Amino acid sequence: MKPLGPIPPDFESVDGELAISGRTASQLVEDAGSTPLFVYSRQRLSDRMAQLREALPERLAINYAIKANPFLPVLQHMACLVDGFDIASSGELRMAQAAGLDANRISFAGPGKRDDELEAAIAAGVTLNCESEGEAERALGIAAAAGTQARMAIRVNPSFELRGSGMKMGGGAKPFGVDQDRVPALARRIIEAGADWRGLHIYTGSQALSADAIIETQGNVLDLADALAREIGGPLPKLNMGGGFGIPYFHGDEALDIAAVGAALEERFANLPASLADTYLCIELGRYLVGEAGVYLTRIVDRKVSHGTVYLVTDGGLHHQLAASGNFGTVVRRNYPSAIATRFGAEPEEEANVVGRLCTPLDRLADAAHLPWAEAGDLVAVFCAGAYGATASPAQFLGHGPAAEIVV
Amino acid sequence: MKPLGPIPPDFESVDGELAISGRTASQLVEDAGSTPLFVYSRQRLSDRMAQLREALPERLAINYAIKANPFLPVLQHMACLVDGFDIASSGELRMAQAAGLDANRISFAGPGKRDDELEAAIAAGVTLNCESEGEAERALGIAAAAGTQARMAIRVNPSFELRGSGMKMGGGAKPFGVDQDRVPALARRIIEAGADWRGLHIYTGSQALSADAIIETQGNVLDLADALAREIGGPLPKLNMGGGFGIPYFHGDEALDIAAVGAALEERFANLPASLADTYLCIELGRYLVGEAGVYLTRIVDRKVSHGTVYLVTDGGLHHQLAASGNFGTVVRRNYPSAIATRFGAEPEEEANVVGRLCTPLDRLADAAHLPWAEAGDLVAVFCAGAYGATASPAQFLGHGPAAEIVV
């Protein structure tokens, strides 16, 4: 038996079923018309943002990194809640614009921006987080050719990283950002070239659950920003302090203590150096904002027993839930939180494997899980499906196509 | 420095560039209009089939498992070369039909077939490889309700597996197929219910490079089919012997000796038991037929150096090449065969990392590779991109969308 991850708090049971925004899993599927289905809760999105606003300094702006979930109704909902969007491609720029977000609230990071993407972003007035000297020169050239001024910041490759993060993005050689010792020269070049200088973006890692690690890293980020600003020779207009706030996926994971993160930031903000005194300070969060607001529902098509082992074969799978299947940047596969949605709260009775419909043993949603008895027709819920689900999975694999998505 | 995988034989250099069907990488990109680009070679598809027909017994039919590459022009080309198609979803059924393939040359395996998929397949006349007793009953019920006869075979979960295969699909408890000891009872049930009994499908694994392992497994498959046929009480109409033929991806891999596989099969076929004497015998291959016929071309957008390490940042990445990035069922990341396509055959000069454009350190196409000096504008080729590339990768990740595909 292998433990399941922790189900995010406050999911209710109605008539013995998992309910989201008061509607049972069966009703949600009926309303959407099919399984598999991603359900995103507006209330959970709003609640999460309210918790963050409560915990973090008022001065700190919160951006949404839309790569985590670019479903249009999610973007539209988030647009009213956050202070800005972070994008990673011109495709995401179009999505952000479709959601009605003002381009001057958008910044664009990503190591392989093509000329056509730089052109579109500059024309729209988006802030470019430049990833290299070469990219900065291309952007300056494109802006000059268009007779316009580009909004330019520098993404810094810091010499430190976020301890305990799931995905390390700083420290040593990296394809992301400009090594910190080369940042002042590039900043001066950008300023001298007449661009609209927007400051720095310092991203150090993602999916950290330790408040201490985040506090330490945010302190390092502020120190580095101050040092760089002094070397550049002027106060920073803006500092994107990165993100890194994690959510619990696996057994034993505990929720990040955002109150502690907020208190430490308040203290730092009360004593900012002159270089940062008037700086627009923001963080960018993706997974933390939307991850726990989403549930993936898939229907059991077959209950089968092979050599005494129970398999609940669903009509979903890794083509929608690559990370949950343990096949995306994972060394040891562990179970995401999941449940039999149509028997929510029922006592576990047996050990079963929840598998997807693909012809590969990799397609497993829950491994040796302790679950209530379930059969064909029952719905399975995979939680923490709001981030890096639909778009971070190979939806066309085996010709199955994408899952439906709804916001409730 | 980490070695690159072996480039498949017979790729030529024209004007210092990789050429496919006589057109240079630059010309191919110009013709297609954009990068990233998958290029599939008709000639290589045809040559591979010709080699197989030469090596394998004339009696053995060869099916194409279209999950490996369902691009319509590839399917249309393969339809003229192979004896049948294997599909894994109703989506693939539509693709097979769009390619003009006669439905009675199609068989359908997959552990999570929904009722709507069974209905479509039965209506079309496709052979169902039933994965469980429950699925067989559903199929019988659907055929009865439609007043038609379903073509039904049984996918067997054998007690043995393909040694050394990349993906084990048999042996012990599995979500695939019916445990071999329960097959005779189910076969009799299918025959008695009046279905068009089509025999057995025995799939044991994939991506094996050892001829000995494949020969041993094919022997086991024939023995098991004979034993099951005798228990069922009649000769088998058809036996799908599975696939499992691998291609070399990594340094040190050697091509499968298909002549040895063919010779062993000839010997077995000369001495078939009565139960198999008149059986339609086939294998199903996906990766082996199309994998080496495809090349992924992506353009270098930035050449950057971080702490002395060279990064060639491309406009492609794991959203098109998940397996090549080492993020799909891989424990230890190794390099696929790749090259600087616009400096094909040039001497390697430096150690460089070829990375994609996604904001994740997972997005790496070649790690610490020994490559000719290259810069922005150069094209990178990733070989062995004909199978499980475009459709087995999260194309929508970060809003980038799918790569272009062409057949030449």
Side-chain angles (χ1 to χ4, degrees), chain A residues 35 89 112-114 117 131-132 174-175 177 179 182 301-302 304-307 315 327 357 391 397-398, chain B residues 35 89 112-114 117 131-132 174-175 177 179 182 301-302 304-307 315 327 357 391 397-398:
Chain A
T35 49
S89 68
K113 301 184 193 82
R114 304 203 300 199
E117 297 189 299
E131 305 267 352
S132 73
K174 286 286 179 307
D179 291 352
R182 298 206 314 256
V301 176
D302 204 355
K304 56 190 287 191
V305 180
S306 169
H307 294 273
D315 64 1
N327 288 295
R357 63 204 312 229
T391 59
F397 199 30
L398 271 59
Chain B
T35 48
S89 69
K113 302 184 195 82
R114 305 202 302 197
E117 296 188 299
E131 305 267 352
S132 73
K174 287 285 179 310
D179 292 353
R182 299 206 312 258
V301 175
D302 204 357
K304 56 190 286 190
V305 180
S306 170
H307 296 272
D315 64 1
N327 288 294
R357 62 203 312 229
T391 60
F397 200 30
L398 272 60

Side-chain angles (χ1 to χ4, degrees), chain B residues 66-82:
Chain B
I66 75 173
K67 62 171 80 74
N69 186 333
F71 185 50
L72 183 61
V74 170
L75 294 188
Q76 288 168 326
H77 188 75
M78 296 305 289
C80 306
L81 297 175
V82 299

Side-chain angles (χ1 to χ4, degrees), chain B residues 36 41 54 233 312 320 333 369 384:
Chain B
S41 157
E54 174 73 23
L312 304 172
H320 304 144
R333 193 206 173 288
C384 295

Side-chain angles (χ1 to χ4, degrees), chain A residues 281-350:
Chain A
L281 296 164
C282 69
I283 55 171
E284 62 169 291
L285 299 173
R287 188 192 309 271
Y288 191 77
L289 299 186
V290 296
E292 293 182 312
V295 177
Y296 176 72
L297 294 175
T298 176
R299 196 178 293 284
I300 297 174
V301 176
D302 204 355
R303 176 194 168 86
K304 56 190 287 191
V305 180
S306 169
H307 294 273
T309 299
V310 175
Y311 293 92
L312 303 172
V313 183
T314 69
D315 64 1
L318 68 78
H319 55 306
H320 305 143
Q321 284 282 281
L322 186 62
S325 77
N327 288 295
F328 197 48
T330 311
V331 177
V332 178
R333 194 206 173 286
R334 290 180 293 170
N335 286 321
Y336 267 40
S338 59
I340 307 299
T342 37
R343 299 167 193 260
F344 196 58
E347 285 301 309
E349 277 181 50
E350 65 176 4

Side-chain angles (χ1 to χ4, degrees), chain B residues 22 36 48 75 88 101 142 165 170 184 186 206 234 239 251 262 279 287 314 317 328 363 398 405:
Chain B
R48 174 52 55 99
L75 294 188
L101 206 86
I142 287 166
S165 60
L186 179 59
S206 68
L239 173 64
H251 179 70
T279 299
R287 188 192 309 271
T314 68
F328 197 48
D363 193 10
L398 272 60
E405 297 178 274

Side-chain angles (χ1 to χ4, degrees), chain A residues 12-96:
Chain A
E12 54 175 349
S13 177
V14 171
D15 299 337
E17 289 198 24
L18 170 68
I20 303 170
S21 299
R23 286 148 78 182
T24 64
S26 298
Q27 287 167 344
L28 290 163
V29 166
E30 198 178 317
D31 293 350
S34 65
T35 49
L37 172 66
F38 285 96
V39 182
Y40 311 117
S41 157
R42 283 195 182 87
Q43 188 63 52
R44 297 183 75 90
L45 294 171
S46 297
D47 288 350
R48 174 53 54 98
M49 277 302 298
Q51 293 155 11
L52 276 172
R53 297 288 190 194
E54 174 71 24
L56 299 178
E58 199 176 344
R59 172 169 175 179
L60 184 69
I62 301 176
N63 288 356
Y64 175 45
I66 76 174
K67 63 171 79 77
N69 186 333
F71 184 49
L72 183 61
V74 170
L75 295 188
Q76 288 168 325
H77 190 74
M78 297 305 290
C80 305
L81 297 175
V82 299
D83 301 299
F85 278 178
D86 290 295
I87 61 169
S89 68
S90 56
E92 289 192 351
L93 173 58
R94 289 188 293 273
M95 296 172 194

Side-chain angles (χ1 to χ4, degrees), chain B residues 92-113:
Chain B
E92 289 191 350
L93 173 58
R94 289 188 292 274
M95 296 171 193
Q97 289 174 316
L101 206 86
D102 190 354
N104 65 22
R105 291 168 59 202
I106 302 174
S107 59
F108 182 4
K113 302 184 195 82

